[in-house]
Amino acid sequence: MSDRIPTREEQDGDGEVRYRMLYESDDKVYIRHIRGVYTRIRKYTGLPLLLAFFFIPWLNIDGHQAVHFDLPARKFHILWATFGPQDGFLLAWLLIIAAFALFAITTWLGRVWCGFTCPQTVWTLMFIWAERVCEGDRAKRMKLDAAPWSAEKVLRKGGTHSIWLFIALATALAFVGYFYGIRDLVVDLASFNAHPQAVFWVGFFTFATYINAGFLREQVCKYMCPYARFQSVMYDKDTLAVYYDARRGEARGPRKKGADYKAQGMGDCIDCYWCVQVCPVDIDIRDGMQYECINCGLCVDACNSVMDKMQYPRGLIRFTSEDELETGKTQYVRPRLFGYALVLLLMTGLLVQQVVSRSPVQAEVLRDRGTRMYRLSQGLVQNVYTVKINNMDQKPHEFEVRIEGKEGYDYSLRMQRGVRVIPGEVYSVPIRVSVPKAQLQEAKHDIDIVIRAKDAPELEDRHRTVFIGPK
């Protein structure tokens, strides 16, 4: 079996087919800077995400970091709420909703997540910006890389990599700060008192960001990201994606501005290769739909700018659908998309309801296994329970416990006074519930043990358990 398996056939200027080795490394991609509608959209969608990522850890709410995943304490502070391990189902629920949202968006608009808001894309754009600032645009970067080493080349390359390392370090500090506490992390690192694990993870994410956004770039999208592999399952003929209008563009070829190219049997494509030069994953959209395409729209901006210069209509490369290219019409509302939207609406509504109705106080009641099922004393039947109170609120609370049972029974409760539980603490307190023996009419009956915060009566939890007496 030959190892000269072509990953893609390409025509060179002489019409000959060029082959690439299956395991041959790709050449460096030099991306041309372009301005246009989708370039601005990428900037305006990426910038708020970056600001949120870097500055949210520095916000404080009620004396704690706004978003802090405190793994050692098993507490997860998100804005005004605190979650514990028992709330893991909410995280699973959120991830399922995110997956359905991704499927719905992909069915509707293709891989716009990859092209506009994926962290790999956003961070790569920052690194490309650093290259352009220090080394110039595409032609200058290619010329600089081909030139021998000199003082200017060292200075420009050093500036590029210094900015890369700064961005990578800031990224690592922000990410680890969500788990360590950003203020403690910065202070501990500056004073050389940081935990070795924190130092390791800061170094690891600095290195990973530097390599991914600086060198791997399109390789991550092509070979490492699984989303590129199964996206085609979610596409249909009405999915909006970036397409090249071959009917209008073919046959390609250069021509002078104002020439009657149609009389020569030529299409609108002047074969300028700008659509290839601006592509961050180094594909030619004119070859048709390809799994590497991330629908970033840069080739649309590049082609439209060329069409403007040639005074041709825009839209030779555009966001459209396969159906529109074939029939001229696109069905925007269709059963598959409606089904995704309905499921998303229902799941999101249920999740919001669960979060809103969730009580920050949870209790658990266990019968004491260290004693007999019941105890007789001075005409009373006594049962012993252990009440565990979990305070997931941001403030300490003092709790009271009361018993609700069958009508006509005189329940009495003995427990320690002043059950004060600090935030994040699970407090265990034994209680003794008594009922006069003469009132018992059956061996077992249900009782409710109600736990309520004295200073916030709305914080209440109740558990049903069994009271056992003699037959």
Side-chain angles (χ1 to χ4, degrees):
M1 181 176 178
S2 172
D3 61 352
R4 295 187 71 253
I5 301 174
T7 57
R8 184 178 67 189
E9 295 184 356
E10 300 170 323
Q11 296 288 336
D12 64 12
D14 300 326
E16 296 181 357
V17 177
R18 292 188 287 109
Y19 290 89
R20 283 192 302 178
M21 304 295 287
L22 181 60
Y23 303 106
E24 179 183 353
S25 61
D26 292 332
D27 296 331
K28 181 178 178 180
V29 179
Y30 295 91
I31 299 176
R32 185 185 193 119
H33 180 58
I34 194 71
R35 290 185 175 89
V37 174
Y38 296 105
T39 307
R40 289 195 295 272
I41 293 176
R42 282 158 63 93
K43 181 172 69 175
Y44 295 139
T45 55
L47 188 59
L49 295 175
L50 286 173
L51 292 175
F53 174 77
F54 284 112
F55 290 109
I56 281 180
W58 294 95
L59 299 178
N60 270 14
I61 295 178
D62 293 337
H64 66 81
Q65 189 171 299
V67 178
H68 184 199
F69 307 114
D70 192 350
L71 296 180
R74 295 184 295 177
K75 294 187 293 185
F76 307 97
H77 303 288
I78 302 177
L79 302 180
W80 289 271
T82 299
F83 299 90
Q86 65 276 4
D87 297 310
F89 76 97
L90 295 176
L91 175 61
W93 205 334
L94 182 62
L95 293 176
I96 293 173
I97 291 175
F100 267 90
L102 191 62
F103 298 159
I105 293 295
T106 303
T107 303
W108 179 29
L109 298 174
R111 293 181 64 185
V112 291
W113 158 260
C114 296
F116 293 88
T117 53
C118 174
Q120 178 70 20
T121 299
V122 174
W123 262 256
T124 297
L125 285 176
M126 284 196 293
F127 276 49
I128 292 174
W129 167 82
E131 280 185 336
R132 192 170 68 250
V133 168
C134 297
E135 303 175 23
D137 202 4
R138 182 175 185 270
K140 292 183 178 179
R141 294 201 302 273
M142 296 175 67
K143 184 177 179 180
L144 182 66
D145 284 352
W149 283 99
S150 62
E152 180 185 5
K153 185 172 182 177
V154 170
L155 183 62
R156 290 186 178 276
K157 289 289 184 180
T160 299
H161 287 268
S162 297
I163 297 176
W164 284 5
L165 285 171
F166 175 79
I167 296 174
L169 178 59
T171 302
L173 287 173
F175 184 79
V176 177
Y178 280 97
F179 299 87
Y180 192 96
I182 188 66
R183 289 174 173 80
D184 294 337
L185 178 63
V186 172
V187 171
D188 289 350
L189 287 174
S191 60
F192 300 99
N193 290 323
H195 193 281
Q197 289 187 12
V199 176
F200 168 78
W201 286 113
V202 169
F204 173 82
F205 285 112
T206 299
F207 175 78
T209 305
Y210 177 74
I211 294 297
N212 280 352
F215 298 96
L216 295 180
R217 294 185 180 176
E218 75 281 354
Q219 308 300 324
V220 174
C221 301
K222 286 182 177 181
Y223 307 120
M224 298 171 64
C225 178
Y227 184 49
R229 302 295 177 176
F230 65 79
Q231 60 154 342
S232 58
V233 179
M234 293 172 276
Y235 275 41
D236 56 35
K237 284 194 171 184
D238 292 299
T239 297
L240 298 178
V242 176
Y243 284 95
Y244 165 69
D245 192 344
R247 287 192 213 175
R248 174 184 157 187
E250 302 296 324
R252 314 170 196 169
R255 79 289 306 268
K256 292 183 179 179
K257 184 177 179 181
D260 188 5
Y261 62 95
K262 292 188 178 179
Q264 305 173 21
M266 302 178 69
D268 285 358
C269 179
I270 67 173
D271 211 20
C272 62
Y273 277 90
W274 274 33
C275 57
V276 179
Q277 294 175 10
V278 300
C279 181
V281 291
D282 193 32
I283 63 172
D284 191 340
I285 194 63
R286 298 174 299 176
D287 293 341
M289 174 60 68
Q290 298 154 68
Y291 81 89
E292 298 98 332
C293 179
I294 60 174
N295 279 7
C296 62
L298 293 184
C299 55
V300 179
D301 287 339
C303 187
N304 283 341
S305 65
V306 173
M307 293 295 103
D308 291 343
K309 292 178 181 179
M310 298 299 295
Q311 297 181 350
Y312 297 167
R314 289 186 164 200
L316 179 59
I317 299 175
R318 62 186 183 272
F319 271 91
T320 185
S321 67
E322 184 180 349
D323 213 13
E324 195 273 337
L325 289 175
E326 294 177 358
T327 65
K329 297 180 180 179
T330 297
Q331 185 178 357
Y332 295 101
V333 180
R334 45 198 189 274
R336 186 179 180 184
L337 191 57
F338 178 79
Y340 277 135
L342 181 61
V343 171
L344 268 177
L345 183 63
L346 291 175
M347 294 182 66
T348 304
L350 289 173
L351 177 63
V352 171
Q353 187 272 335
Q354 285 287 329
V355 174
V356 170
S357 62
R358 167 184 169 274
S359 174
V361 173
Q362 293 183 357
E364 182 180 5
V365 177
L366 302 172
R367 289 187 59 86
D368 196 334
R369 298 179 181 271
T371 63
R372 294 174 296 174
M373 289 188 298
Y374 63 90
R375 181 180 177 184
L376 296 174
S377 176
Q378 299 178 351
L380 298 176
V381 179
Q382 300 175 349
N383 281 208
V384 178
Y385 306 89
T386 299
V387 177
K388 293 184 177 181
I389 304 173
N390 183 7
N391 182 12
M392 297 181 295
D393 200 10
Q394 309 287 348
K395 300 178 293 185
H397 293 288
E398 187 169 347
F399 292 90
E400 61 180 0
V401 180
R402 75 173 192 272
I403 306 300
E404 294 180 359
K406 295 188 67 173
E407 188 176 352
Y409 283 18
D410 296 327
Y411 295 97
S412 59
L413 173 68
R414 292 182 58 188
M415 60 174 287
Q416 69 181 68
R417 295 182 178 180
V419 179
R420 182 177 175 83
V421 187
I422 63 176
E425 182 185 14
V426 178
Y427 190 91
S428 296
V429 55
I431 65 172
R432 189 183 299 272
V433 180
S434 302
V435 176
K437 181 181 178 182
Q439 295 180 354
L440 290 177
Q441 301 174 2
E442 51 194 347
K444 296 181 180 179
H445 68 275
D446 293 334
I447 62 172
D448 289 331
I449 299 180
V450 182
I451 298 93
R452 177 182 295 175
K454 290 183 178 180
D455 56 340
E458 70 276 5
L459 301 182
E460 177 184 289
D461 196 11
R462 62 175 58 222
H463 276 265
R464 177 155 293 185
T465 186
V466 177
F467 186 91
I468 301 177
K471 296 183 179 180

Short mmCIF file of all heavy atoms in Angstrom, two decimals, residues 130-163:
data_model
loop_
_atom_site.label_atom_id
_atom_site.label_comp_id
_atom_site.label_asym_id
_atom_site.label_seq_id
_atom_site.Cartn_x
_atom_site.Cartn_y
_atom_site.Cartn_z
N ALA A 130 -1.27 39.85 17.62
CA ALA A 130 0.08 40.14 18.10
C ALA A 130 1.11 39.99 16.98
O ALA A 130 2.04 40.80 16.87
CB ALA A 130 0.43 39.20 19.27
N GLU A 131 0.94 38.97 16.16
CA GLU A 131 1.83 38.80 15.00
C GLU A 131 1.76 40.01 14.07
O GLU A 131 2.79 40.51 13.61
CB GLU A 131 1.45 37.54 14.23
CG GLU A 131 1.96 36.25 14.82
CD GLU A 131 1.64 35.07 13.92
OE1 GLU A 131 0.67 35.18 13.12
OE2 GLU A 131 2.33 34.05 13.99
N ARG A 132 0.55 40.46 13.79
CA ARG A 132 0.39 41.57 12.86
C ARG A 132 0.96 42.86 13.42
O ARG A 132 1.56 43.67 12.69
CB ARG A 132 -1.10 41.74 12.52
CG ARG A 132 -1.35 42.68 11.35
CD ARG A 132 -2.79 42.64 10.89
NE ARG A 132 -3.70 43.21 11.87
CZ ARG A 132 -4.57 42.51 12.58
NH1 ARG A 132 -4.64 41.19 12.42
NH2 ARG A 132 -5.36 43.10 13.45
N VAL A 133 0.83 43.07 14.73
CA VAL A 133 1.37 44.28 15.34
C VAL A 133 2.89 44.29 15.27
O VAL A 133 3.52 45.31 14.97
CB VAL A 133 0.88 44.39 16.80
CG1 VAL A 133 1.67 45.46 17.55
CG2 VAL A 133 -0.61 44.70 16.84
N CYS A 134 3.50 43.15 15.55
CA CYS A 134 4.97 43.10 15.64
C CYS A 134 5.65 42.81 14.30
O CYS A 134 6.78 43.28 14.07
CB CYS A 134 5.40 42.04 16.64
SG CYS A 134 4.88 42.36 18.33
N GLU A 135 5.00 42.05 13.44
CA GLU A 135 5.67 41.58 12.22
C GLU A 135 5.03 42.09 10.94
O GLU A 135 5.61 41.91 9.86
CB GLU A 135 5.69 40.05 12.20
CG GLU A 135 6.37 39.44 13.42
CD GLU A 135 6.28 37.93 13.42
OE1 GLU A 135 6.11 37.34 12.33
OE2 GLU A 135 6.37 37.32 14.50
N GLY A 136 3.84 42.70 11.02
CA GLY A 136 3.20 43.19 9.82
C GLY A 136 2.18 42.21 9.28
O GLY A 136 1.93 41.15 9.86
N ASP A 137 1.59 42.57 8.13
CA ASP A 137 0.55 41.72 7.55
C ASP A 137 1.18 40.53 6.83
O ASP A 137 2.39 40.29 6.90
CB ASP A 137 -0.31 42.54 6.58
CG ASP A 137 -1.68 41.92 6.37
OD1 ASP A 137 -1.98 40.90 7.03
OD2 ASP A 137 -2.44 42.44 5.54
N ARG A 138 0.38 39.78 6.11
CA ARG A 138 0.75 38.48 5.57
C ARG A 138 2.04 38.51 4.76
O ARG A 138 2.96 37.70 5.02
CB ARG A 138 -0.40 37.97 4.68
CG ARG A 138 -0.18 36.59 4.09
CD ARG A 138 -1.43 36.15 3.34
NE ARG A 138 -1.29 34.79 2.85
CZ ARG A 138 -0.79 34.46 1.67
NH1 ARG A 138 -0.36 35.42 0.84
NH2 ARG A 138 -0.69 33.20 1.30
N ALA A 139 2.14 39.41 3.81
CA ALA A 139 3.34 39.44 2.95
C ALA A 139 4.59 39.74 3.77
O ALA A 139 5.66 39.14 3.55
CB ALA A 139 3.15 40.47 1.85
N LYS A 140 4.49 40.66 4.72
CA LYS A 140 5.66 41.01 5.54
C LYS A 140 6.05 39.84 6.44
O LYS A 140 7.26 39.61 6.66
CB LYS A 140 5.35 42.25 6.37
CG LYS A 140 5.20 43.52 5.54
CD LYS A 140 4.96 44.73 6.43
CE LYS A 140 4.85 46.00 5.61
NZ LYS A 140 4.60 47.19 6.47
N ARG A 141 5.07 39.10 6.98
CA ARG A 141 5.41 37.97 7.83
C ARG A 141 6.09 36.86 7.04
O ARG A 141 7.04 36.22 7.52
CB ARG A 141 4.14 37.43 8.51
CG ARG A 141 3.50 38.39 9.48
CD ARG A 141 2.60 37.69 10.47
NE ARG A 141 1.53 36.93 9.85
CZ ARG A 141 0.35 37.43 9.51
NH1 ARG A 141 0.09 38.71 9.73
NH2 ARG A 141 -0.57 36.66 8.97
N MET A 142 5.62 36.62 5.83
CA MET A 142 6.25 35.61 4.98
C MET A 142 7.67 36.01 4.63
O MET A 142 8.60 35.19 4.64
CB MET A 142 5.42 35.39 3.71
CG MET A 142 4.03 34.83 3.97
SD MET A 142 2.99 34.72 2.50
CE MET A 142 3.88 33.47 1.57
N LYS A 143 7.85 37.28 4.33
CA LYS A 143 9.19 37.77 3.98
C LYS A 143 10.11 37.71 5.19
O LYS A 143 11.29 37.33 5.08
CB LYS A 143 9.09 39.21 3.46
CG LYS A 143 10.40 39.79 2.99
CD LYS A 143 10.19 41.20 2.44
CE LYS A 143 11.52 41.80 1.98
NZ LYS A 143 11.34 43.17 1.44
N LEU A 144 9.59 38.04 6.37
CA LEU A 144 10.41 38.01 7.58
C LEU A 144 10.83 36.58 7.92
O LEU A 144 11.98 36.34 8.31
CB LEU A 144 9.62 38.62 8.76
CG LEU A 144 10.35 38.72 10.09
CD1 LEU A 144 11.51 39.71 10.00
CD2 LEU A 144 9.40 39.12 11.20
N ASP A 145 9.92 35.62 7.78
CA ASP A 145 10.26 34.23 8.08
C ASP A 145 11.30 33.68 7.10
O ASP A 145 12.12 32.83 7.46
CB ASP A 145 9.01 33.36 8.05
CG ASP A 145 8.16 33.55 9.29
OD1 ASP A 145 8.62 34.22 10.22
OD2 ASP A 145 7.02 33.03 9.33
N ALA A 146 11.24 34.13 5.86
CA ALA A 146 12.19 33.65 4.85
C ALA A 146 13.55 34.31 4.96
O ALA A 146 14.55 33.77 4.47
CB ALA A 146 11.62 33.86 3.45
N ALA A 147 13.60 35.46 5.64
CA ALA A 147 14.87 36.21 5.74
C ALA A 147 15.79 35.57 6.77
O ALA A 147 15.33 34.90 7.71
CB ALA A 147 14.56 37.66 6.12
N PRO A 148 17.11 35.74 6.63
CA PRO A 148 18.05 35.23 7.64
C PRO A 148 17.89 36.00 8.95
O PRO A 148 17.35 37.11 8.98
CB PRO A 148 19.42 35.46 7.01
CG PRO A 148 19.21 36.58 6.03
CD PRO A 148 17.81 36.42 5.51
N TRP A 149 18.38 35.39 10.02
CA TRP A 149 18.26 36.02 11.32
C TRP A 149 19.08 37.30 11.37
O TRP A 149 20.22 37.35 10.90
CB TRP A 149 18.70 35.08 12.42
CG TRP A 149 17.67 34.04 12.72
CD1 TRP A 149 17.64 32.77 12.27
CD2 TRP A 149 16.51 34.22 13.51
NE1 TRP A 149 16.53 32.11 12.72
CE2 TRP A 149 15.80 32.98 13.50
CE3 TRP A 149 15.97 35.28 14.24
CZ2 TRP A 149 14.61 32.79 14.18
CZ3 TRP A 149 14.78 35.09 14.92
CH2 TRP A 149 14.12 33.86 14.89
N SER A 150 18.45 38.34 11.93
CA SER A 150 19.10 39.64 12.08
C SER A 150 18.56 40.28 13.35
O SER A 150 17.66 39.75 14.02
CB SER A 150 18.80 40.53 10.87
OG SER A 150 17.41 40.76 10.75
N ALA A 151 19.11 41.44 13.69
CA ALA A 151 18.65 42.13 14.90
C ALA A 151 17.17 42.49 14.79
O ALA A 151 16.41 42.36 15.74
CB ALA A 151 19.50 43.39 15.13
N GLU A 152 16.77 42.95 13.58
CA GLU A 152 15.36 43.31 13.40
C GLU A 152 14.45 42.09 13.55
O GLU A 152 13.40 42.17 14.18
CB GLU A 152 15.16 43.94 12.02
CG GLU A 152 13.71 44.35 11.77
CD GLU A 152 13.49 44.86 10.35
OE1 GLU A 152 14.44 44.82 9.55
OE2 GLU A 152 12.35 45.28 10.07
N LYS A 153 14.89 40.94 12.97
CA LYS A 153 14.07 39.74 13.05
C LYS A 153 13.96 39.26 14.49
O LYS A 153 12.88 38.86 14.95
CB LYS A 153 14.66 38.64 12.17
CG LYS A 153 13.81 37.39 12.10
CD LYS A 153 14.32 36.40 11.07
CE LYS A 153 13.43 35.17 10.98
NZ LYS A 153 13.88 34.22 9.93
N VAL A 154 15.06 39.30 15.24
CA VAL A 154 15.03 38.90 16.65
C VAL A 154 14.10 39.81 17.44
O VAL A 154 13.32 39.36 18.28
CB VAL A 154 16.45 38.91 17.24
CG1 VAL A 154 16.40 38.73 18.76
CG2 VAL A 154 17.31 37.83 16.61
N LEU A 155 14.15 41.11 17.16
CA LEU A 155 13.33 42.07 17.87
C LEU A 155 11.85 41.84 17.58
O LEU A 155 11.01 41.82 18.50
CB LEU A 155 13.73 43.49 17.48
CG LEU A 155 13.00 44.63 18.21
CD1 LEU A 155 13.29 44.57 19.71
CD2 LEU A 155 13.41 45.98 17.64
N ARG A 156 11.53 41.64 16.31
CA ARG A 156 10.12 41.46 15.94
C ARG A 156 9.59 40.12 16.45
O ARG A 156 8.48 40.05 17.00
CB ARG A 156 9.96 41.56 14.42
CG ARG A 156 10.18 42.96 13.88
CD ARG A 156 9.88 43.05 12.40
NE ARG A 156 10.04 44.40 11.89
CZ ARG A 156 9.11 45.34 11.96
NH1 ARG A 156 7.94 45.07 12.50
NH2 ARG A 156 9.33 46.55 11.48
N LYS A 157 10.36 39.06 16.27
CA LYS A 157 9.93 37.76 16.77
C LYS A 157 9.86 37.74 18.29
O LYS A 157 8.94 37.16 18.88
CB LYS A 157 10.89 36.67 16.28
CG LYS A 157 10.78 36.36 14.79
CD LYS A 157 9.48 35.65 14.49
CE LYS A 157 9.39 35.24 13.04
NZ LYS A 157 8.13 34.56 12.70
N GLY A 158 10.83 38.38 18.92
CA GLY A 158 10.81 38.46 20.38
C GLY A 158 9.60 39.21 20.90
O GLY A 158 8.99 38.83 21.90
N GLY A 159 9.21 40.28 20.21
CA GLY A 159 8.02 41.02 20.60
C GLY A 159 6.77 40.18 20.47
O GLY A 159 5.90 40.19 21.34
N THR A 160 6.68 39.42 19.36
CA THR A 160 5.53 38.55 19.14
C THR A 160 5.39 37.53 20.25
O THR A 160 4.33 37.36 20.86
CB THR A 160 5.64 37.84 17.79
OG1 THR A 160 5.65 38.82 16.74
CG2 THR A 160 4.48 36.89 17.58
N HIS A 161 6.49 36.84 20.54
CA HIS A 161 6.43 35.77 21.53
C HIS A 161 6.27 36.31 22.94
O HIS A 161 5.70 35.64 23.81
CB HIS A 161 7.67 34.88 21.42
CG HIS A 161 7.66 34.01 20.19
ND1 HIS A 161 7.17 32.73 20.21
CD2 HIS A 161 8.07 34.26 18.92
CE1 HIS A 161 7.28 32.21 18.99
NE2 HIS A 161 7.83 33.12 18.19
N SER A 162 6.75 37.51 23.19
CA SER A 162 6.54 38.12 24.51
C SER A 162 5.05 38.40 24.74
O SER A 162 4.52 38.14 25.83
CB SER A 162 7.34 39.43 24.63
OG SER A 162 8.73 39.17 24.54
N ILE A 163 4.38 38.93 23.71
CA ILE A 163 2.94 39.18 23.84
C ILE A 163 2.20 37.86 23.97
O ILE A 163 1.25 37.74 24.77
CB ILE A 163 2.43 39.99 22.63
CG1 ILE A 163 3.10 41.36 22.60
CG2 ILE A 163 0.91 40.13 22.70
CD1 ILE A 163 2.72 42.19 21.39
#
